[in-house]
Amino acid sequence: MNYSQFLNMIPEVTLTVALVITFIADFWSASSTDRKWFNPLVCVLLLAHLLFNIGPTEATTAFGGMYYTNTSIGIIKTILAFGTLIVLIQSKEWMSRPDTSFKEGEFYVLVLSTLLGMNMMVSANHFLLFFLGLEMASVPMACLVALDKYRHDSAEAGAKFILTATFSSGVMLYGISFLYGAVGTLYFDDVATRITATPLTIMGLVFFFSGLGFKISLVPFHFWTADTYQGAPTTVTGYLSVVSKGAAAFTLCAILMKVFAPMAEYWQYLLYIVVVLSITIANLFALRQSNLKRFMAFSSISQAGYIVLAIVGNSALSVATLSFYVLIYVVANMSVFTIISTIEEHNNGTVEMDSYNGLYKTNPKLAFLMTLALFSLGGIPPFAGMFSKFFVFMAAVKGMSIDTTVGTWAYIVLFIALINTVVSLYYYLLIVKAMFIRHNDTPLPTFQSNLNTKLALALCTLGIVAFGVCSFVFDWIDMASKAM
């Protein structure tokens, strides 16, 4: 075995080093009662990993072509690492609680293990390595969901997550076996050159898509999402909603466009159906929620529909748009979950929307930052979310002609997505209305957020304001995607 191949996997190597150092630090300081340095250490390690790998990545392979990376894949890994860094920064307050502080090391190790699995998944050029990466990400995630098992419904959420994840993985493997039986290989490039539209390959495509649709929370594979988001610790919910979803969406885009390119006419119609169902059903259910975590779960399902809408165009712009949308979604959604988490810690664990009534009177800064994040999620200009949605809509119909059947359906789906954007504005503004207009006889107390929470919110707010108007961010992603 040529161990120099690991030099082609620098992001995974540096992340593994960070993981090992975190594990040793936790083991070495397990009996210590004062570990204020632990969170900064892990954040510095992940920041070093991010900065070390933020530069352009040359296209390269490893292990017989099973592993592949290029500049576009390097960018999505950077986005995932950035989202994870925000999660780790804002987790400090939650990890300082007496009932969770002794699990601090396990939390960091599980988060980094999950990120490592996602990196392997997005760099896979072979279905076996893809599946191993997927499971490397899913199993630690199940542990994270159940980490707070003696508080709220964390144990139930973990059980639901692992059971549905196991079932979806089985369905996906079944689909992959169909593909292997049809083409005799599991390498992405070889499958793409041999695959044709036969009943066996169409069934393989549907089963594979069903398994990955669970990871992205697309309708009708979304039933686990609300219960899991509600029961999991809020910090984990934020991580699950942005980083995990972003990795799965990018992988789906890469495999559909690379492996199933000869069958594009089939999976484009499949995407049309799933996008319309995800955006519409999620928006209707979001209108009925009073629990903020369940509300954000259905918002997450709707956002997943917009992410997948970018893939419909089947072009280099689709890859760039998806990556940009995930980046904006990371900062906006993590800003919301950071605020939900800090309020939860200072108000006896409440996450009900009614408890946010009159928030601006006692905590005006948090109310203002929450409003900015919700405006971005809703696509209100001039925030970054408006630009990301605009690029998604543009990518969805790029190269489509209204005179063709596929083009007609693309414009119909785009019109439905636009209508649903208006609906989503309504329910995002319900929270804004609660914070600024509704009266509360017992408002939330005034409290001071800790330094980590302020830093996480500053990073997220800066991204919400700057990423949309700073065009070089999208240009950087777009140039890299052309090498995909």
Side-chain angles (χ1 to χ4, degrees), residues 94-107:
W94 171 54
M95 279 288 119
S96 299
R97 282 196 339 229
D99 61 329
T100 55
S101 59
F102 66 95
K103 296 182 285 189
E104 188 174 15
E106 288 91 330
F107 173 74

Side-chain angles (χ1 to χ4, degrees), residues 21-32 35 37 41:
I21 293 174
T22 301
F23 177 80
I24 293 174
D26 180 44
F27 182 77
W28 171 71
S29 63
S31 59
S32 175
R35 298 205 295 179
W37 51 269
L41 170 67

Side-chain angles (χ1 to χ4, degrees), residues 19 23 67 75 81 129 137 159 235 263 481:
L19 178 60
F23 177 80
Y67 175 95
I75 285 177
L129 185 61
T235 299
M263 300 172 59
S481 67

Side-chain angles (χ1 to χ4, degrees), residues 24 30 34 61 142 184 207 260 264 267 316 322 336 341 375 423 436 453 455:
I24 293 174
D34 184 13
T61 62
F207 283 156
F260 294 104
W267 58 257
L322 187 148
V336 172
S341 178
F375 280 0
V423 177
F436 288 93
T453 300
L455 178 58

Side-chain angles (χ1 to χ4, degrees), residues 165-180:
T166 302
F167 180 75
S168 70
S169 296
V171 171
M172 182 184 294
L173 275 180
Y174 195 40
I176 292 173
S177 69
F178 281 176
L179 296 175
Y180 182 73

Side-chain angles (χ1 to χ4, degrees), residues 239-411:
Y239 183 60
L240 184 63
S241 71
V242 293
V243 182
S244 176
K245 191 183 299 296
F250 183 82
T251 305
L252 176 65
C253 177
I255 293 179
L256 287 179
M257 295 177 62
K258 182 186 295 185
V259 180
F260 294 104
M263 300 172 59
E265 60 179 306
Y266 292 91
W267 58 257
Q268 280 181 321
Y269 285 113
L270 181 63
L271 290 183
Y272 292 152
I273 297 171
V274 170
V275 165
V276 171
L277 289 177
S278 297
I279 296 176
T280 305
I281 293 177
N283 282 347
L284 293 177
F285 275 88
L287 292 171
R288 300 172 56 86
Q289 303 306 312
S290 59
N291 182 291
L292 267 183
K293 290 171 72 174
R294 293 185 70 88
F295 172 89
M296 291 305 298
F298 287 105
S299 165
S300 172
I301 296 169
S302 176
Q303 296 289 343
Y306 287 106
I307 292 174
V308 173
L309 182 60
I311 307 175
V312 171
N314 192 21
S315 64
L317 182 62
S318 298
V319 181
T321 301
L322 187 148
S323 301
F324 184 69
Y325 196 100
V326 170
L327 174 62
I328 305 307
Y329 182 55
V330 164
V331 292
N333 222 44
M334 280 311 306
S335 181
V336 172
F337 275 107
T338 300
I339 294 171
I340 293 174
S341 178
T342 192
I343 290 178
E344 183 182 16
E345 294 300 323
H346 289 89
N347 195 45
N348 300 320
T350 182
V351 289
E352 294 298 317
M353 192 181 299
D354 288 343
S355 64
Y356 283 65
N357 292 349
L359 180 65
Y360 84 99
K361 292 182 179 178
T362 55
N363 295 276
K365 293 179 181 178
L366 288 181
F368 176 69
L369 296 180
M370 175 75 100
T371 301
L372 295 185
L374 293 171
F375 280 0
S376 182
L377 287 173
I380 295 179
F383 303 107
M386 186 276 290
F387 294 95
S388 64
K389 276 190 168 60
F390 173 77
F391 288 135
V392 163
F393 294 153
M394 186 171 63
V397 294
K398 182 178 176 59
M400 299 285 187
S401 173
I402 195 70
D403 297 327
T404 64
T405 304
V406 174
T408 301
W409 278 106
Y411 279 98

Side-chain angles (χ1 to χ4, degrees), residues 138-203:
S138 298
V139 175
M141 184 61 75
C143 298
L144 286 171
V145 171
L147 192 68
D148 220 356
K149 62 182 180 180
Y150 296 118
R151 185 181 174 96
H152 304 304
D153 303 313
S154 188
E156 179 186 349
K160 289 180 178 179
F161 181 85
I162 195 64
L163 287 173
T164 49
T166 302
F167 180 75
S168 70
S169 296
V171 171
M172 182 184 294
L173 275 180
Y174 195 40
I176 292 173
S177 69
F178 281 176
L179 296 175
Y180 182 73
V183 300
T185 181
L186 291 176
Y187 280 96
F188 290 173
D189 296 333
D190 293 340
V191 172
T193 58
R194 302 180 190 180
I195 197 169
T196 56
T198 65
L200 195 60
T201 55
I202 292 174
M203 288 295 291

